[in-house]
Amino acid sequence: MKNNNYIFNLKVQKIEQICLFELTWGEGQRLTTQVNYPPALTQLYKDWQRVYLNFYRSDQMRGRTVDGGVAKLTIDWHAELVKAETKLMYEFHRWLRSGELYEIRAQIAQTSQQLIKENTETNEAVQIFLTCAPLELDRFPWEAWELGNEFATNNAIQFIRTPLNISTEAQEKRQGRPRILAILGDDTGLNFKAEKESLKSLLRIADVEFVGWQPQYTAAEVIQKISDAITDERGWDVLFFAGHSNETDLTGGELGIAPEMSISISEIAPQLSTAKKRGLQVAIFNSCSGLSIADALIDLGFGQVVVMREPIHNSVAQGFMVRFLQGLAKHLDVYESLTKARQFLRMDKSHTYPSSYLVPSLFCHPGASLYRITAFRWQQCLRQSIPNRWEAIALAVSLTLGVLVPFQELLLDTRILTQSVYRNTTAQIPSEEAPPVALVQIDTESIYRAQLPNSQLLPMNRSYIAKLIDRVRTLNASVVGLDFILDTPQKDPPSGDEDLRKAVHRAVDANMWLILGAVLEPTREVGANEAIGINEWDWTLQGYVDAYSNLVELPVANQDCLKTCPFAYLLSLVQLAKQEIIKLPQPQTDRKKNFRAQLLNVIQQHPNKGNLSALWQWRSPFGLQPILDYSIPPKQVYTTIPAWQLIENPDINKFPLLSKQVVLIAVGSDERLGIAPGTPDRSLAPAALSYWTKQEWLTGGETLAYMIHHFLNHRLVIPIPDIWIIGMAIILGKTTVLIVKNQSRLSLSRRRQIMAGAVGAVILYGLAGLQLYISAAILLPWFLPSSVFLAYVLPATRRNNHA
């Protein structure tokens, strides 16, 4: 929007032989002066008008002849018109250069020069909204006032006329492709061919429709068709009229729509008001004597009206309109298009059509912007997409928080908790027959009952681990994972390594698949040491237990799990392979081939079907790492068995499912247990897990159990990065802002609707995201993208309301 300091309102009133000039601008600045009105000016205008009409004759004027005929004397009307124009313009400019008007001229010129300094790269111009009273002053060619010449001001000064009385506010611009309604009236003695072709040339950038008189229609039918077209529900941007017209005192002017049939502006005012409410901005009357038409339409709230102040010859009207429409086609605004057309008449057609450049005028509503057919260019889109101050702040904050790991962990924890509540409320808890994992935990009670001293807790007493292996063997467990690192000999108790070696051999000879824990180093796994004698890699397996407590650990991309393999992933492969592959190599202590290499080779050759192939071939999209889904209750994931209960209860019926489950032996949440002194194998329980169990800690064994569950059930939830969805929120938010900006002066109810719609969209997106998480295993971030979207949209409604 243009700075108010560059917009002037010049009011000129004639009272008897005195003219009062009042110039206002900015924040209440005002200059007033009185100037004597030169009596000769009125007579010179009448002389010019008489010669003008005689030169152009009346047979092809776009106004009906009321009186007077054609002079019979042979007179060089061209020469006479040039003389009359010269005398009129000389006297007119002499009056406007009078000393009493110096301060007004100087103020306008100074502002124009200041605008040039402040806006060197733009073509902005000072605008003067001119109001004249009485009508006698309005007939003068004020657009020809060469105000800048006196002060050597090169920048253009735009003279825009505005009526004395305006009772209706301007309407906001309609959205979508520009629409132009062309009304072709009575063509008696006229030819509209050039205008039709020029209008049709706009079809590449606008929709153009024609309506008007046709010989087969009655006058009443023509009026009805014109009325229906004006009130089209789709709305219009530009109304064009070609034909005969005249001024009237009380009815706003009249339009000749058919031979011997005219209609006044007041008769179609309701239809024009309806069209204005639907977006009609501009009316162009390429017809005669349109001053009263312009006043009436601006009073109705039209943004701009182009009229001819005097009768206009058909050829002049055609030449003017062709150039004017060419300007609109080049995306010039209405004033610029009018100026180009006037310059064409003055510079290129001064001999053919003398004085014609003085006739066209633009009337404008002070509350409306100059209309132009907007060009859709990528540079314009880029400029509009640049965030403003508040949008930039919202963008910077969201992007910063989007990459801060602690904040992301907090958001993830809160989101999974919300998923738990949603899953529980909507009764969408998985209903497997039995948890796929049996988690045997060495907890505080087990330590107490076994009377294990602290010196035998880190590393864990291997004799005690041996008892657990022997016990699950008697319960027919077939796949067992040990979440312990057996990399060094154990001195306390002295028999620990031997007891564990014997238990491992007994288990393997019973066809138990035993997977031992390891830690991951850059190029290898470090786990059980064969030199200790507990195991050999020809008949046991090993996987690394390193993992984050909220992420699913997957094999390294583009590797086959031969060198390094996640512990939970390997356990899941074995369990599925046992279920789906008949000729699977079996664990035996007399084997002499690397057991993991042979197992992976068999899996690779397995037919491309079933859960085993799905897990083996699964690759994370875009390298995104799945998360652990703690929204699933732990009782659906694993059965918790305290180690003391497994050892002390000899009844096999107490553990009927153990033979079908993956058995995971791990330490509990006791702070004395872990990988190293002072580093217990536990972390704070996620909020979602606490929602189900009220527990304070999450152990490493429980994390591995969730991973195994996800692998076996193909429950791999992919988290979409916040940055991705923030980008989409920015696009949607900015698009909404641009739509809102194009709706000037939003009502309070409309503003509330937009705000409610934005908030409602965010809520619906959140609910859809909750369901998509369960149904499609995709986690869409909600908080940051929604915040960014609302940070864009909500301030825009307030800014627009105060625009």
Side-chain angles (χ1 to χ4, degrees), residues 663-687:
V663 177
L664 178 60
I665 302 176
V667 299
S669 62
D670 193 295
E671 63 181 5
R672 295 170 294 175
L673 304 174
I675 299 175
T679 310
D681 189 16
R682 69 184 187 185
S683 59
L684 286 174

Side-chain angles (χ1 to χ4, degrees), residues 441-500:
Q441 284 192 322
I442 304 174
D443 56 5
T444 303
E445 181 69 13
S446 300
I447 296 172
Y448 172 76
R449 286 175 175 266
Q451 297 183 352
L452 297 176
N454 288 341
S455 61
Q456 296 182 10
L457 300 181
L458 196 65
M460 188 64 204
N461 186 309
R462 290 175 184 170
S463 296
Y464 191 76
I465 298 174
K467 292 181 182 179
L468 294 175
I469 294 175
D470 282 336
R471 185 68 184 112
V472 297
R473 175 176 55 80
T474 62
L475 294 172
N476 299 320
S478 60
V479 180
V480 177
L482 297 181
D483 185 16
F484 300 97
I485 311 300
L486 310 175
D487 56 339
T488 58
Q490 189 176 67
K491 297 180 180 179
D492 187 16
S495 61
D497 287 344
E498 181 61 21
D499 291 341
L500 184 57

Side-chain angles (χ1 to χ4, degrees), residues 224-236:
Q224 187 59 50
K225 286 182 177 294
I226 291 174
S227 298
D228 292 343
I230 291 174
T231 56
D232 191 308
E233 292 184 355
R234 294 171 293 175
W236 304 100

Side-chain angles (χ1 to χ4, degrees), residues 413 549 630 682-691 693-699 702-703:
D413 191 49
S549 60
Y630 293 116
R682 69 184 187 185
S683 59
L684 286 174
L689 200 65
S690 298
Y691 172 79
T693 65
K694 310 302 181 187
Q695 68 189 68
E696 181 181 1
W697 300 104
L698 171 71
T699 68
E702 290 168 335
T703 300

Side-chain angles (χ1 to χ4, degrees), residues 171-241:
Q171 187 67 28
E172 63 186 34
K173 184 179 179 181
R174 63 177 289 277
Q175 302 302 311
R177 182 177 169 85
R179 284 171 47 80
I180 300 173
L181 174 62
I183 300 176
L184 304 180
D186 177 18
D187 61 355
T188 303
L190 305 179
N191 185 346
F192 301 146
K193 181 179 179 181
E195 285 129 310
K196 285 182 180 179
E197 302 216 350
S198 294
L199 285 165
K200 289 178 181 179
S201 70
L202 296 177
L203 285 172
R204 61 183 179 83
I205 57 174
D207 295 334
V208 181
E209 294 186 18
F210 294 89
V211 66
W213 178 75
Q214 296 291 333
Q216 65 269 31
Y217 297 127
T218 65
E221 290 174 332
V222 173
I223 293 175
Q224 187 59 50
K225 286 182 177 294
I226 291 174
S227 298
D228 292 343
I230 291 174
T231 56
D232 191 308
E233 292 184 355
R234 294 171 293 175
W236 304 100
D237 295 278
V238 179
L239 173 66
F240 172 82
F241 175 80

Side-chain angles (χ1 to χ4, degrees), residues 81-324:
L81 182 54
V82 172
K83 291 177 185 178
E85 178 189 333
T86 303
K87 291 179 181 179
L88 173 63
M89 297 310 296
Y90 174 80
E91 184 64 19
F92 186 57
H93 285 135
R94 188 183 68 82
W95 177 50
L96 294 178
R97 284 197 298 269
S98 60
E100 292 88 344
L101 295 176
Y102 177 80
E103 289 188 11
I104 289 178
R105 299 195 303 271
Q107 179 61 52
I108 296 173
Q110 179 184 347
T111 302
S112 179
Q113 292 169 346
Q114 180 182 350
L115 178 60
I116 296 174
K117 292 179 182 178
E118 295 181 0
N119 300 274
T120 56
E121 297 181 359
T122 67
N123 294 322
E124 275 195 283
V126 168
Q127 291 182 339
I128 301 175
F129 285 87
L130 175 69
T131 302
C132 295
L135 186 62
E136 175 188 358
L137 293 182
D138 233 349
R139 297 192 186 280
F140 291 144
W142 292 91
E143 293 84 358
W145 186 0
E146 298 173 349
L147 193 148
N149 292 349
E150 180 180 0
F151 299 91
T153 300
N154 296 324
N155 203 31
I157 297 174
Q158 297 180 349
F159 280 92
I160 301 172
R161 298 175 184 244
T162 187
L164 185 64
N165 299 310
I166 302 176
S167 59
T168 309
E169 65 179 1
Q171 187 67 28
E172 63 186 34
K173 184 179 179 181
R174 63 177 289 277
Q175 302 302 311
R177 182 177 169 85
R179 284 171 47 80
I180 300 173
L181 174 62
I183 300 176
L184 304 180
D186 177 18
D187 61 355
T188 303
L190 305 179
N191 185 346
F192 301 146
K193 181 179 179 181
E195 285 129 310
K196 285 182 180 179
E197 302 216 350
S198 294
L199 285 165
K200 289 178 181 179
S201 70
L202 296 177
L203 285 172
R204 61 183 179 83
I205 57 174
D207 295 334
V208 181
E209 294 186 18
F210 294 89
V211 66
W213 178 75
Q214 296 291 333
Q216 65 269 31
Y217 297 127
T218 65
E221 290 174 332
V222 173
I223 293 175
Q224 187 59 50
K225 286 182 177 294
I226 291 174
S227 298
D228 292 343
I230 291 174
T231 56
D232 191 308
E233 292 184 355
R234 294 171 293 175
W236 304 100
D237 295 278
V238 179
L239 173 66
F240 172 82
F241 175 80
H244 297 287
S245 66
N246 275 311
E247 295 177 5
T248 58
D249 292 333
L250 301 176
T251 59
E254 63 180 11
L255 308 176
I257 59 169
E260 306 302 326
M261 180 65 188
S262 296
I263 188 171
S264 67
I265 294 296
S266 60
E267 289 181 80
I268 57 173
Q271 290 84 355
L272 292 172
S273 295
T274 299
K276 190 264 297 186
K277 292 176 182 178
R278 291 173 178 167
L280 182 55
Q281 295 280 307
V282 181
I284 303 167
F285 289 86
N286 202 22
S287 55
C288 295
S289 306
L291 282 175
S292 57
I293 295 174
D295 285 352
L297 293 185
I298 295 296
D299 187 50
L300 284 175
F302 276 56
Q304 290 97 50
V305 181
V306 176
V307 296
M308 305 297 176
R309 300 189 321 279
E310 305 287 346
I312 192 77
H313 192 273
N314 184 70
S315 298
V316 177
Q318 287 185 332
F320 168 82
M321 192 50 56
V322 168
R323 291 290 172 160
F324 179 84

